[in-house]
Structure formats: C-alpha cells, structure tokens
Amino acid sequence: MKHTIKKTLTVLTAALLAVSATAKDITILNVSYDPTREFYDEFNQVFAAKWKAETGENVTIKQSHGGAGKQARAVIDGLQADVVTLALAYDIDAIAEKARLIPKEWQSRLPDNSSPYVSTIVFLVRKGNPKGIKDWGDLVKPGVSVITPNPKTSGGARWNYLAAWAYELGRNGGDQAGAQEFIRKLYKNVPVLDSGARGSTTTFVQRGIGDVFLSWENEAYLAIKEFGDDYEVVFPSVSILAEPPVTVIDKVVDKRGTRAVAEAYLNFLYSEEGQELAAKHFYRPRLASVAAKHKQRFPDINLITIDDVFGGWQEAQATHFNDGGTFDQIYGK
Amino acid sequence: MRTFRTIVTTALVGASVGAVSPSHAEDINNQIQQLDQKVRILERKLEIADENAKAAAEKTPVAKADASGFSFAAPDKSFEIKFRGLIQQDARFWFNDDENPQSDTFLLRRVRPTIEGTVGKNGEFRFTPEFAGSSTTLLDAYTGYKFSDAVRLRAGKFKSPLGLERLQSGSDIRFIERAHPTSLAPNRDVGLQLSGDLVKDVLTYEAGVFNGVVDGGSADSDISDDKDFVGRLFATPFKTTDIDALRGLGLGIAGSIGKEEGSGTTTGLASYRTPGQVRVFSYLTSTNAADNVLADGDRTRIAPQLTYYYGPLGVIGEYIVSSQEVRKDDQTTTLDNDAWQIATTYVLTGEENSFRGINPARPFDLAKGQWGAFELAARYSELNVDDQTFPTYANPNRSVAGIQSWALGLNWYLTRNLRSSLTYEQSAFDGGAAKGADREDEEILFARFQVSF
C-alpha cells in the first residue's frame, strides 16, 4: 500500500512538473496589415526576450498579414487573434460590432487613440521621377499610371483615397462633386488593383508597372532600402495622418489565458524601446523624445485627419467604401 | 514570357532606331514602352486573378459527385454531408414447392437512402431509412465523435457488432440472402459503442451497451430494464507484413451478454427463417398465458469469425452459438441454438477480392468491349436448434430442428455502382413437417439488380 501511495505521488508530481514546464510556453497571434511584417518580425523578438527576462516564460508571437479589411473579416470569421494591429480603426470597430469580441470603447483603452505609431501616405516614383510627379494633381494627368490597392480590401488604400479626396477638397474650396470627379480620374489611371499594400509594392517594384505608387511612408522607405537608388520618395503638399490602431481581442485572450502577455505586448509598443523600433522601420513615433531624435527622417508635411475632413471613420466608410458608396460609383463606371 | 518580351522589345527598338528618324524612333520607343506596360499589366492581372482564385478555393465548399456518392464539403472537410443510396430489385423463383407453395415474385428487397457526414472535424452522423417492405422503418440513426483512431464514440441505432456477415454492408454481401449465422446475431440495436484501432491495421475493437434484441432482430426500444453488452475483437495479424499469402487473413471473436424477460405481449424470443425468408421455426405461443414460451433470464452469444482474401479469392467463415434462458409456465431451461457458414468467392476477371466488394478494373462499356467483373460464389451453412426445444418449447411438426443450406452464386459487377446477381440456394430440413417428418426441401433461384452509391 505504501508503495502504491509513493508511486502515485511520484507520478502526480512528475505530471505537475510537466504541466508547469509546458505552461511556460505561450503562443499569441498578432493579426496585422500588410506592411508591418518587417517591423513586427524584429519587435516580436525583442519583446519575447524582454518577457522571458521579466517572467521566465517563453512567448512565441505568430504573425498574420494581409489587407486590413480582409484581416478584420478573418478575425470576425473566427481567426483566433490575441491582438490585432490593423491599418485603421474602422476595421477594429467592425470586430467590435460584428463579432463582439471586444468592447465598443476599445480605442480609449490605450494612449493616443490606441495608435502607438503613425504614418502617412507618400508617393514612390521611379528614379529621376520621369513623369515629374510632385503632387496629387499630377496623378490625374493622362498617361500617368498610378499604383494603389483596392480600398474595399486594403486599409492603406482607403488612406490613399481619402488623402486624394482631401487634397482636391482643399484645392477646389470644398466642392464634393469636384472631389469625386478628381478621384474618378485618378482611378482611371490605376491599371491594377491589388488587395493589399504589399501586393501593390510587388506590382510597382517587382513587376515594374506604373509611374507612381501611393504608399505608406514606411513601405516607401522599405522599397528604397531594399532596391536602393531605383526609386525616390515624393512628399505631396498635403497628406493624411494615418493612425494604425492596436488592441487585444478580449474574448480570445480570456479564453486562452493570454491577457497578461498580450497587454504587455501592446504596452511595449509605447515604450522608448518599442518606439525606437517603430522609427527604425519608418513608422513615425508618438513619444516626443523619440520623435525628436528622428525628425530628419520624417519631414514635416501638412497632415489632415479623418475626423477633421470626413467626420471620422464610420462616416468615411459609409460614404465612400461601403457597397454602393462613392468608390463603387466611381470604379463601376 | 519575359524573355519573349525582351527579345521583341530589343528587336523592335534596334530595327526602328536603325531605319527611321530620331523623332520617329522616339515615338516608336514610347509605343513599345506602352505596349510593354500593357503586357506587364495583363500579366499582373492574371497573377492576381490566380491568387484570388486560390484564396477563393480555400473557402469555397467542394461539391462532389462520383462513384462513392454525392457530397458537399468544406474545403478542409471539417463539415461534410454525403448522400448515398442502395436499391435492390429482387426476383425469387421457387422450385419443388408443392407441399409449401410459395409465390414466384419480384420484390424490392432494400431501398435505403442515406445521409451521412461530419460535423466539425471529429463529429459524425448517419441517417438511413428503409423504404422496402410493407412499412417504412428507421434503419440507422446515429451520431458519433472521433477522439482518436483508438477511441470513437457512437450513440444511436446501428448494427450491433457481433455477426461477421451482418457487419458486411447489404450492398457487399455475395449471396442474395445472408447465411444462417446471421439469424442468431443481433441486427440493429440502440445503444452506445466505443470502437477503434488497438493496433493500427492489425487489431480493432468494438464494445458497446445496447438495449438488446432477439436473434436476428432489430428494435427501437427495450422490453425490459436489462441491457446487453456486446464486444468484438478482430485481428489482421499479417496485414502489415510481407507475407502476401497471409496479409488478407482476419480472425475475430465477438460475444454478447445480457438478460431478457419476455411478457405476454412480447415473448423476447426469435423465430428463424429459410434463405427464401419463410419462417420455419418459432417457439410456442398461445392465448393461454401458461402455454406461452418466454425469454426468462441470461442471453449470451459467442461468435468466432474468419475472413481471408488473397488476390481474386475470398473466404468468410463464422460460427455463432446463442444461448437463452426460457420459461414455459413453471418449466425453465437454457436453450443453445447454433449456426455456422463457410463461403468462398472467386473473381473470374482477376480483380482484388475484399470484404467491401469488388471494383471492376474494366467497367461495363459495350463500345469499348468491356464487360465489368464476374465472380463465382459457393456457400454451405447450417442452423441447429437445441434438442431440448422439442416438444416442450416448440412444435416439432411445425418447427424445424435444423436447416442445412448450400448455395451457388454468380455476381456481375457492371461498374462499382451497378451489380447483377444470381443465387441458387437449396435447403434441407430436420423435422418441421407432420408426424415428425422432414419439411420439404426449399429450392430457390434468386436474381437481383442493384444500384449502390
């Protein structure tokens, strides 16, 4: 009998040790948009090392990238994301509204509207800028071929579209019909609609199509970093303040028991180390001290906001990108 | 494509520069650049269309229609629904039936649509009604869950895992009617079953608890509180070896244990039939309760079984002994009825024989001169009723004490789904006629046309 008890205790202890050992290996999934691949590749490694040092736990961060709208739909359809780091708030709002995986007030939970870094839209042109493209107005000229993804599936493309609309509104004194006509002409010059920003980079850089690529600032610098002197960045007279937001997916982290690590992961984006990494990958840091350090890399340009010009993402989405919205009217013609 | 484009571009530029003025050359160069862009755009559009098609394919349900049936499935098969069916149109022609006249007849033997599928990756279900016969019955209706290859849970109404030939699908049996051991094995029963591989490809098991049914019977509910426990082990010990001649050898043992208590309305006892489905044995029943024979206690069955397949040759053999405590008024005893069969088949056209039927290598197609597959079959089978049964529990002048049957068959597999069969079966009887004489032999020719998918 004694032997039996002893054996049982040994087995139980071994089992508990085994369970404890496995409990220290955590995996979380970050569902993000197209151009953040390289940034999160490095950020994840740095965070995992930090988390290990602080808690002793091994954390593996898996990444999923694609057009922001498609990514949001995947989460709504059941993709078990612990955190999402998407291109625009509207797509995360959709996760709150359609799947109810997060509270509606998700954006107020972290500083700066839950956008730890910002970016903007710039023009990437071929070396020497052979078509002389300097501002949005040049994009509607005959013979200019413009590369931008599909705003129905890409968050970046929606920023492009709205930046162009805002430019024309500013130029023509607020004439919405004129802005719509301007956008129609612009998309007439778009030969290929990719589903995401990374696909458009492929189209412009690797397939050699088009004269100008409407690009995330970080994606443009990344292309130059990879392909050197073949391209130039052009800053238009006005662009848009793009605030890619982040949040934990509450129902997933609570079910998987990963809330602590998921929250720490996002908070680390706001730390000086996280902000430095963002700047390194050409995202504009929020933290003033880090932003000041990288001022030369990110020139000051006139940045309009979604709230100021379009009344927020909900209104912009409904007017321009929902089925039957202005984009459908323009592109359907 | 790119190489071709480069060659054309180079050739055109070279030709134009050499043959025309500088301004004209520039125009031509611009046109070439525009054409180059158009080609690149078309290529990219095709590339994107291809990517989109692949992405869509990953989400689009797969509809399938082939020899195994019709189905719809999620791309990863996690959800699937299959529509299957079995229709058997039979004919029975009796010979030498002067003493016990039978009608030669066409009949629908089995008409069974089946809906089955998976729910999630591990959930399963099946629903099969039977439309043949005088009334519609629910044949199979079960749900299940696969925890692993070793543990599968099934709940509902389905075949009790005891009789070897009973477990063979009705579309795959090689004679028109199953042999006598099936008369002693439970048919469909309601209960819970665990099954799986104890050793992959070598040893499988089934173990379940069921309401319990009479020999050869099916039921939707129990007539008493007691339940039957049924189990089966089946081994193919050489299946994974290199010994070709033994790879197709299968050996099994099945058994059941339970209790049955009959009543005035339901005796809890079976009657037995000939291959021609004529009832030739039944226990005594009477309007006087004291003269009724009832099940009254333990019911056990033991069933060793064997299969052997080697190339076109197939053999199955099984033995079943069914023991049941019975009571008539104040007399009780345990009656042991047994049955056995040995059957062999040979595919004349050389296809691989198997427990699950024949897949013709050259499906029937007159235009191509293909005739499908042909198979010869022979069987001997016996049923023996316990001697103690007579005359206390059964009338020897009306119920037989034994049946000995031999059968010859020819099966023509036109395709995997179409089959035509002929079986001649002759049965001799012990007793069962007036004054203790033997009942007249049954000689019957069966024909069948079958569609299954």
Side-chain angles (χ1 to χ4, degrees), chain B residues 226-291:
Chain B
D226 298 306
K227 298 290 169 270
D228 276 18
F229 296 89
V230 186
R232 179 174 181 258
L233 281 172
F234 197 83
T236 46
F238 301 99
K239 190 173 180 181
T240 56
T241 71
D242 294 331
I243 311 169
D244 287 349
L246 293 178
R247 273 215 292 260
L249 176 66
L251 297 165
I253 180 82
S256 72
I257 184 165
K259 282 181 187 294
E260 195 63 278
E261 306 286 345
S263 66
T265 51
T266 313
T267 65
L269 295 170
S271 54
Y272 301 133
R273 292 173 183 270
T274 67
Q277 303 301 297
V278 178
R279 187 160 63 186
V280 291
F281 173 87
S282 52
Y283 291 96
L284 291 173
T285 56
S286 169
T287 49
N288 177 12
D291 293 333

Side-chain angles (χ1 to χ4, degrees), chain A residues 77 145 191-194 199-200 202-203 206-210, chain B residues 2 5 36-37 40-42 44-45 47-48 51-52 55 59:
Chain A
D77 290 344
S145 179
V192 179
L193 275 185
D194 286 281
S200 285
T202 302
T203 298
Q206 291 175 317
R207 303 293 181 266
I209 298 170
Chain B
R2 290 218 177 97
R5 193 170 57 211
D36 176 66
Q37 279 289 299
R40 285 171 189 263
I41 288 163
L42 285 172
R44 181 63 178 151
K45 281 184 172 174
E47 202 176 3
I48 291 170
E51 285 168 8
N52 290 342
K59 290 183 178 173

Side-chain angles (χ1 to χ4, degrees), chain B residues 45-226:
Chain B
K45 281 184 172 174
L46 284 173
E47 202 176 3
I48 291 170
D50 202 33
E51 285 168 8
N52 290 342
K54 276 182 190 160
E58 284 170 13
K59 290 183 178 173
T60 307
V62 180
K64 226 170 89 176
D66 58 25
S68 59
F70 305 89
S71 64
F72 295 103
D76 64 355
K77 295 264 179 104
S78 55
F79 289 84
E80 183 172 27
I81 188 162
K82 290 180 183 170
F83 302 95
R84 304 178 62 191
L86 171 63
I87 300 171
Q88 292 176 339
Q89 161 76 62
D90 282 13
R92 292 175 184 166
F93 301 103
W94 305 79
F95 306 97
N96 192 26
D97 58 340
D98 300 334
E99 290 179 20
N100 301 292
Q102 304 293 335
S103 302
D104 295 343
T105 183
F106 294 111
L107 75 154
L108 289 166
R109 181 67 175 87
R110 293 181 176 89
V111 181
R112 298 175 180 175
T114 290
I115 300 173
E116 65 182 12
T118 53
V119 182
K121 280 196 174 163
N122 299 314
E124 61 161 358
F125 67 90
R126 179 182 170 116
F127 171 75
T128 304
E130 171 67 273
F131 291 112
S134 54
S135 62
T136 301
T137 54
L138 182 62
L139 212 59
D140 291 316
Y142 61 76
T143 57
Y145 192 85
K146 179 184 172 184
F147 292 94
S148 68
D149 287 343
V151 183
R152 295 164 191 248
L153 176 67
R154 181 180 287 181
K157 186 181 181 187
F158 49 94
K159 285 180 180 176
S160 188
L162 195 127
L164 176 67
E165 199 178 14
R166 170 59 69 199
L167 290 171
Q168 192 169 33
S169 167
S171 60
D172 294 332
I173 54 176
R174 304 308 164 78
F175 300 87
I176 301 294
E177 295 297 339
R178 291 183 170 97
H180 294 303
T182 299
S183 299
L184 303 185
N187 192 344
R188 265 86 174 176
D189 203 352
V190 182
L192 276 173
Q193 174 184 284
L194 285 175
S195 67
D197 299 334
L198 288 176
V199 181
K200 190 172 169 52
D201 291 333
V202 173
L203 184 62
T204 61
Y205 77 95
E206 286 123 344
V209 55
F210 297 87
N211 282 333
V213 290
V214 300
D215 292 348
S218 294
D220 294 324
S221 59
D222 209 344
I223 60 168
S224 65
D225 291 339
D226 298 306

Side-chain angles (χ1 to χ4, degrees), chain B residues 299-320:
Chain B
R299 173 171 59 205
T300 59
R301 300 182 182 98
I302 297 172
Q305 44 205 234
L306 167 150
T307 59
Y308 178 71
Y309 294 97
Y310 183 52
L313 176 69
V315 178
I316 71 167
E318 66 178 320
Y319 171 81
I320 296 182

Side-chain angles (χ1 to χ4, degrees), chain B residues 260-264 267 269 283-284 289-297 324-335 392-393:
Chain B
E260 195 63 278
E261 306 286 345
S263 66
T267 65
L269 295 170
Y283 291 96
L284 291 173
D291 293 333
N292 257 340
V293 182
L294 305 174
D296 187 39
Q324 172 71 61
E325 287 185 356
V326 298
R327 173 170 60 86
K328 181 187 170 195
D329 200 12
D330 57 355
Q331 301 176 78
T332 62
T333 191
T334 299
L335 298 176
T392 310
Y393 302 101

